[in-house]
């Protein structure tokens, strides 16, 4: 929903009704992830995408019908469905798309949710998309850390289960569908709840104000990270040199990272790229980075010789073998990169592979499912 939120909010504020289809579950090689949304506006325009073009026509027609009837619908599009073939779902995947009517009457919390997202405050939205009792479908609750829920999904048992699991998704920054028994039984089946988890953007911390850092910052921003470039040298660490960064910090890298970690601004989604390849910066910084309890990725640039020297210095500093095993160095996947931009792509590829469990091998050389 995030990518279509500006247009959705504009129609909502104008008092219009909007048909919205959202991918709530995917199987096999689905083209769009859970959370991808498509709007059908009051002017019959379409905004966003749920499948990259495969089933948009079918979802468009269904959204118009849902706006007319006011009854939300969960629809599956897959290779075994004749309708899926008819609308062109050729990727071999399966999509579950939840289609609902969005207006001030059906979704009064949207304005406050949009304000939270704009301010970077974590907020989750849990919606019942499937239930044996149709009266439950469409019930919604807004969940914020340390704040009582805005409503009830039907019972205290359901509310407690969904809140706990939604907060877990929010901490990880992932949307997802949760399954329970009809009254929130964790081992049961029948009720499905989709959770939009709007967490602040994951962070990419780039240390070393060099030309490679500028390219990494641009690619990181493209991937949706909030990018910080940090260097102790004020002559190099300037906003004019790093227009792709959200912020440029002049500080000793290890001191800055320590302060950010102590302030709670480093978590399991944080990516750390050390590009200075200078021992006086690298070693104290990596001592801090490799000992963080939670971090998504720690990579360091340098030649094989630089890497070996860095490892020796870190061992002398007391860094354990278990901690050293977290270090990705030399940084990036082997793409044959030469330029800063190509190197940034190789670093980004390793980050994405690590996040989703990819092998880094060519897909053409592998068999079986594309997505694990």
């Amino acid at each position: 929903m995030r990518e279509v939120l500006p247009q959705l909010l504009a129609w909502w504020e104008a008092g219009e009704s909007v048909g919205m289809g959202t991918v709530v579950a995917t199987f096999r090689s689905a083209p769009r992830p859970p959370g991808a949304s498509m709007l059908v506006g009051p002017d019959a325009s379409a905004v966003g995408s749920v499948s990259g073009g495969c089933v948009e026509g079918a979802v468009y027609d269904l959204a118009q019908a849902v706006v007319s009837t006011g009854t939300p619908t969960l629809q599956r599009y897959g290779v075994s469905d004749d309708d899926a073939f008819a609308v062109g779902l050729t990727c071999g995947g399966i999509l579950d798309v939840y289609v609902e009517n969005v207006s001030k009457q059906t979704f009064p919390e949207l304005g406050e949710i949009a304000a939270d997202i704009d301010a970077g405050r974590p907020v989750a939205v849990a919606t019942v998309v499937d239930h044996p009792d149709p009266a439950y479908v469409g019930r919604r609750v807004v969940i914020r850390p340390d704040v009582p829920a805005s409503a009830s999904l039907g019972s205290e048992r359901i509310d407690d289960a969904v809140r706990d699991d939604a907060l877990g998704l929010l901490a990880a920054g992932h949307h997802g569908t949760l399954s329970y028994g009809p009254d929130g039984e964790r081992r049961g089946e029948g009720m499905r709840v989709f959770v939009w988890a709007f967490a602040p953007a994951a962070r990419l911390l780039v240390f070393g104000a060099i030309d490679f850092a500028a390219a990494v910052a641009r690619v990181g921003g493209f991937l949706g990270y909030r990018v910080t470039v940090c260097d102790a040298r004020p002559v190099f660490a300037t906003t004019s040199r790093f227009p792709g960064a959200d912020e440029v910090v002049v500080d000793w890298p290890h001191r800055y990272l320590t302060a950010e970690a102590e302030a709670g601004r480093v978590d399991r989604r944080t990516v750390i790229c050390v590009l200075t390849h200078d021992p006086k910066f690298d070693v104290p910084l990596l001592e801090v980075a490799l000992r963080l309890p939670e971090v998504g990725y720690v990579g360091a640039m340098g030649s094989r010789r630089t890497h070996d020297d860095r490892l020796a210095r870190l061992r002398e500093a007391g860094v354990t073998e278990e901690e050293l095993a977290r270090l990705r160095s030399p940084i990036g996947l082997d793409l044959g990169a030469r330029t800063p931009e190509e190197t940034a792509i190789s670093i980004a590829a390793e980050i994405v592979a690590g996040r989703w469990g990819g092998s880094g091998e060519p897909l053409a050389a592998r068999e079986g499912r594309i997505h694990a």
Side-chain angles (χ1 to χ4, degrees):
M1 183 172 69
R2 189 192 294 265
E3 60 189 8
V4 299
L5 184 57
Q7 184 59 71
L8 177 62
L9 189 62
W11 280 323
W12 182 87
E13 290 176 337
E16 303 283 2
S17 293
V18 181
M20 181 167 72
T22 299
V23 178
V24 298
T26 64
F27 309 90
R28 300 205 293 267
S29 300
R32 296 299 308 278
S37 295
M38 172 182 165
L39 309 178
V40 177
D43 58 355
S45 63
V47 178
S49 171
V50 293
S51 71
C54 296
V55 302
E56 264 65 18
V59 174
Y60 180 93
D61 292 340
L62 183 57
Q64 288 188 314
V66 166
V67 170
S68 297
T69 64
T71 303
T73 300
L74 180 65
Q75 179 67 48
R76 172 163 291 184
Y77 300 97
V79 294
S80 62
D81 300 331
D82 291 339
D83 287 345
F85 281 121
V87 298
L89 186 61
T90 59
C91 63
I94 298 174
L95 298 176
D96 282 353
V97 180
Y98 178 70
V99 183
E100 61 184 314
N101 175 30
V102 176
S103 67
K104 285 191 174 181
Q105 289 70 43
T106 65
F107 201 162
E109 311 92 343
L110 182 61
E112 294 180 355
I113 293 167
D116 285 335
I117 295 172
D118 186 60
R121 294 187 294 264
V123 59
V125 183
T127 305
V128 179
V129 298
D130 194 18
H131 196 281
D133 182 351
Y136 280 75
V137 176
R139 292 184 181 181
R140 191 182 346 260
V141 64
V142 180
I143 299 166
R144 299 176 176 88
D146 304 320
V147 177
S150 64
S152 174
L153 293 177
S155 74
E156 184 176 349
R157 184 175 188 174
I158 296 174
D159 294 341
D160 288 345
V162 171
R163 178 177 174 81
D164 287 347
D165 293 341
L167 288 175
L169 287 172
L170 191 58
H174 296 311
H175 310 308
T177 295
L178 309 171
S179 296
Y180 307 95
D183 193 40
E185 302 92 336
R186 289 192 174 277
R187 295 189 178 182
E189 296 180 351
M191 180 172 70
R192 299 170 69 194
V193 179
F194 180 71
V195 178
W196 274 301
F198 298 111
R203 300 189 68 190
L204 169 60
L205 306 180
V206 182
F207 294 97
I210 62 175
D211 50 355
F212 288 92
V216 170
R218 289 196 298 273
V219 172
F222 176 75
L223 292 177
Y225 287 94
R226 176 172 176 79
V227 181
T228 299
V229 175
C230 176
D231 197 294
R233 302 164 296 180
V235 67
F236 297 118
T238 63
T239 55
S240 61
R241 294 190 69 229
F242 299 98
D246 294 287
E247 60 179 347
V248 179
V249 175
V250 178
D251 199 351
W252 279 85
H254 71 283
R255 185 168 61 191
Y256 173 74
L257 182 58
T258 298
E260 291 299 288
E262 290 176 348
R265 292 189 286 267
V266 175
D267 60 27
R268 71 184 69 177
R269 299 183 299 142
T270 302
V271 169
I272 297 172
C273 294
V274 181
L275 308 183
T276 50
H277 49 83
D278 183 333
K280 69 175 177 291
F281 295 117
D282 289 3
V283 173
L285 171 60
L286 288 171
E287 281 188 72
V288 176
L290 296 175
R291 288 170 172 160
L292 290 172
E294 288 189 336
V295 67
Y297 172 93
V298 180
M301 177 177 282
S303 65
R304 299 288 183 188
R305 178 181 297 178
T306 298
H307 170 68
D308 291 340
D309 177 70
R310 182 188 293 133
L311 290 181
R313 292 174 184 269
L314 288 169
R315 290 188 178 103
E316 290 176 4
V319 179
T320 68
E321 295 302 316
E322 183 178 0
E323 291 165 343
L324 287 174
R326 303 174 69 188
L327 176 62
R328 310 291 291 188
S329 175
I331 196 170
L333 297 184
D334 180 12
L335 304 184
R338 294 291 186 271
T339 68
E341 290 73 20
E342 291 172 346
T343 301
I345 294 298
S346 80
I347 294 171
E350 184 174 54
I351 292 168
V352 172
R355 180 180 181 185
W356 297 110
S359 68
E361 298 179 47
L363 289 173
R366 296 174 57 85
E367 295 181 356
R369 295 173 58 185
I370 292 176
H371 299 297

